Amino acid sequence: MKLQLGLLSTALLFASCATKSTAEQDIVSENFEFSASQLKHAFTEIDSARAHLTEKQIANNVFAPRNIEPDGSLRLVASRDWCSGFFPGELWYMYEYTGDDFWKEKAIEFTAPVEREKTNGGTHDMGFKVYCSFGNGYRLTGDSTYRDIMLESASTLITRYKDKVGCIRSWDHNKDKWQCPVIIDNMMNLELLFWAAKESGDSIYRDIAVNHALTTIKNHFRDDYSSYHVVDYDTITGDVLHKHTHQGYSHESAWSRGQAWGLYGYTMCYRETGREEFLDQAKHIAGYIFNSPTLPEDLVPYWDYNAPNIPDEPRDVSAAAVTACALYELSMYDKENATIHKDRADRIIESLTKNYRASLNNDRGFLLLHSVGSGNSNSEVDVPIIYADYYFLEALLKKAKLEKEGTALL
């Protein structure tokens, strides 16, 4: 009898493990099934919005969805907008998961308008625009034309590097306020430079990326490893002039998406360099996020960790999606805490899936609701925003690959 009970217990244990494994995989496949339907709906919404464009918007080649406006309309943007690469990037992720040429053709169609940005030296957002679109396209197709566009884009990006500062200048606007602003978001654009260094064999791209990351560690972070949003530098001396926010609650607050950009950026920098200070920084940033007393139980943060009216403040789903992406990869490098990082990422994905997804064939074709662009200026508050969707799909791909192959690298 004891033997039979033992066999029964073992069988139940294996059945439980199999059910858990299937359930974990199902959250990926179910989300991609949902995303396929929702993105097909997005194409009809885009066509409808295009029919109402002005002649100026048509001339500027407005094409990519960014968010839902307060009046409920779909906002489309041109290639110069920093968000222009995310929608084509989503389509490449759909192709990667499904292998369906339908998504490949759509990705090619929506990637093409971004090419004009390869010579746009007036912005630091080259990685967001070009790496998310052409970068994924090149990774999945090997198209040499895409490679050339990316190399030219990287060459354009490094023209913004300020040697005295040791950073790539972020913005050119608000010149009355800042001399050489550098934002934490800029960490994300370094991946294009690391790629260009390997692809071209020219170390200048890598050197600039490393210098930028080191300078940002030095000046962007407080003692608790929360991040300032904007650090302004003197271009002559390289001295720090101001430490500000532009999209967070206050200069001394911790803007939630900024913390996520930093976590993702330093995890990626460790992957590309093997430098321990980058891994340490990523671990410290994760520590700040998950030790924050204002982080909700479902791990989807408020738009700023220090927003004054918590818990009656909007969440920022985009910050959660970026954080999940970073954690899946960080679990590969921080072996001691691998299970913790993976579990937190899984919990975020579960939260986004259960409580923050858009309605099927509704919400203008977006995948996730409740993101915040800039809370302190009441811009894009509590609405779907395209980069939340992009990083949600990326996190799902990383989860699936990590569980199947032991690597989160796409």
Side-chain angles (χ1 to χ4, degrees):
M1 185 67 176
K2 288 183 179 179
L3 176 60
Q4 290 176 331
L5 288 174
L7 290 173
L8 177 61
S9 298
T10 302
L12 290 172
L13 176 62
F14 278 117
S16 174
C17 291
T19 301
K20 181 180 179 182
S21 177
T22 302
E24 287 177 346
Q25 187 61 36
D26 280 350
I27 200 171
V28 175
S29 59
E30 192 277 331
N31 269 304
F32 271 97
E33 183 179 344
F34 163 79
S35 299
S37 297
Q38 199 67 352
L39 288 169
K40 287 175 181 177
H41 179 64
F43 295 139
T44 66
E45 294 284 355
I46 292 167
D47 288 342
S48 178
R50 279 176 168 169
H52 297 89
L53 295 178
T54 65
E55 290 185 7
K56 182 177 180 181
Q57 288 174 317
I58 293 171
N60 287 334
N61 201 21
V62 169
F63 76 102
R66 172 165 170 161
N67 63 277
I68 294 180
E69 297 284 49
D71 65 3
S73 63
L74 175 63
R75 178 187 176 190
L76 301 180
V77 294
S79 63
R80 66 175 178 270
D81 189 276
W82 78 276
C83 293
S84 64
F86 292 120
F87 188 70
E90 282 188 78
L91 303 181
W92 284 117
Y93 284 154
M94 290 301 301
Y95 172 60
E96 182 169 8
Y97 184 78
T98 66
D100 187 339
D101 282 344
F102 169 81
W103 297 109
K104 179 181 178 181
E105 294 306 314
K106 282 295 186 181
I108 290 171
E109 175 189 342
F110 279 88
T111 295
V114 184
E115 180 178 356
R116 65 175 63 186
E117 295 307 302
K118 66 186 180 183
T119 57
N120 181 2
T123 173
H124 73 108
D125 287 314
M126 198 66 84
F128 285 129
K129 291 187 286 188
V130 174
Y131 197 79
C132 294
S133 56
F134 285 100
N136 281 311
Y138 179 62
R139 180 173 61 84
L140 295 172
T141 69
D143 187 332
S144 61
T145 302
Y146 285 10
R147 175 186 180 274
D148 294 342
I149 290 168
M150 292 171 67
L151 286 174
E152 187 166 0
S153 300
S155 180
T156 300
L157 177 56
I158 63 172
T159 64
R160 299 185 64 79
Y161 181 69
K162 304 300 179 185
D163 188 60
K164 292 290 186 181
V165 174
C167 278
I168 298 167
R169 180 191 179 105
S170 294
W171 296 323
D172 288 343
H173 60 71
N174 289 97
K175 292 183 178 179
D176 59 327
K177 184 189 297 186
W178 302 306
Q179 186 180 140
C180 181
V182 177
I183 61 176
I184 190 62
D185 321 37
N186 211 347
M187 288 297 303
M188 301 292 285
N189 294 297
L190 303 184
E191 192 165 12
L192 173 63
L193 300 186
F194 284 119
W195 172 88
K198 291 180 290 187
E199 196 71 21
S200 69
D202 191 338
S203 62
I204 189 173
Y205 299 108
R206 178 187 175 90
D207 292 343
I208 286 175
V210 169
N211 287 346
H212 183 103
L214 291 172
T215 303
T216 301
I217 284 180
K218 179 181 177 182
N219 296 319
H220 256 82
F221 291 89
R222 305 179 183 93
D223 290 343
D224 63 359
Y225 295 99
S226 65
S227 169
Y228 289 95
H229 182 200
V230 189
V231 175
D232 184 30
Y233 294 91
D234 186 309
T235 55
I236 305 301
T237 66
D239 293 340
V240 173
L241 299 176
H242 307 287
K243 296 186 177 185
H244 285 171
T245 196
H246 186 65
Q247 291 165 267
Y249 167 63
S250 70
H251 294 327
E252 292 299 326
S253 72
W255 175 51
S256 63
R257 196 162 67 254
Q259 314 315 302
W261 292 143
L263 177 61
Y264 189 119
Y266 281 104
T267 302
M268 175 271 297
C269 284
Y270 175 73
R271 176 224 306 158
E272 297 295 337
T273 67
R275 296 181 65 140
E276 288 295 326
E277 63 261 55
F278 295 154
L279 178 58
D280 288 344
Q281 192 70 11
K283 290 159 63 176
H284 287 315
I285 298 169
Y288 172 81
I289 291 172
F290 292 100
N291 288 322
S292 171
T294 65
L295 181 67
E297 188 68 26
D298 68 358
L299 305 187
V300 178
Y302 299 98
W303 69 278
D304 191 297
Y305 287 98
N306 305 109
N309 298 313
I310 291 173
D312 299 318
E313 293 278 358
R315 304 291 189 93
D316 186 6
V317 158
S318 72
V322 174
T323 297
C325 285
L327 290 173
Y328 283 127
E329 184 171 353
L330 184 60
S331 73
M332 296 168 55
Y333 312 134
D334 182 14
K335 299 295 187 183
E336 184 179 354
N337 299 297
T339 301
I340 294 173
H341 298 317
K342 169 78 166 49
D343 178 65
R344 286 169 171 168
D346 285 343
R347 287 172 59 195
I348 290 171
I349 293 300
E350 290 167 7
S351 293
L352 297 182
T353 301
K354 292 176 181 177
N355 302 314
Y356 296 89
R357 271 197 343 197
S359 300
L360 187 63
N361 297 323
N362 204 338
D363 297 309
R364 305 299 181 191
F366 287 93
L367 307 183
L368 297 174
L369 308 176
H370 306 303
S371 288
V372 175
S374 179
N376 68 359
S377 57
N378 199 33
S379 174
E380 298 177 303
V381 174
D382 197 20
V383 296
I385 305 179
I386 196 65
Y387 42 81
D389 294 359
Y390 174 87
Y391 288 106
F392 181 52
L393 291 186
E394 181 177 306
L396 289 167
L397 285 173
K398 287 184 172 183
K399 171 181 171 62
K401 191 167 185 181
L402 183 64
E403 291 171 355
K404 183 178 181 180
E405 303 176 19
T407 177
L409 302 184
L410 303 182

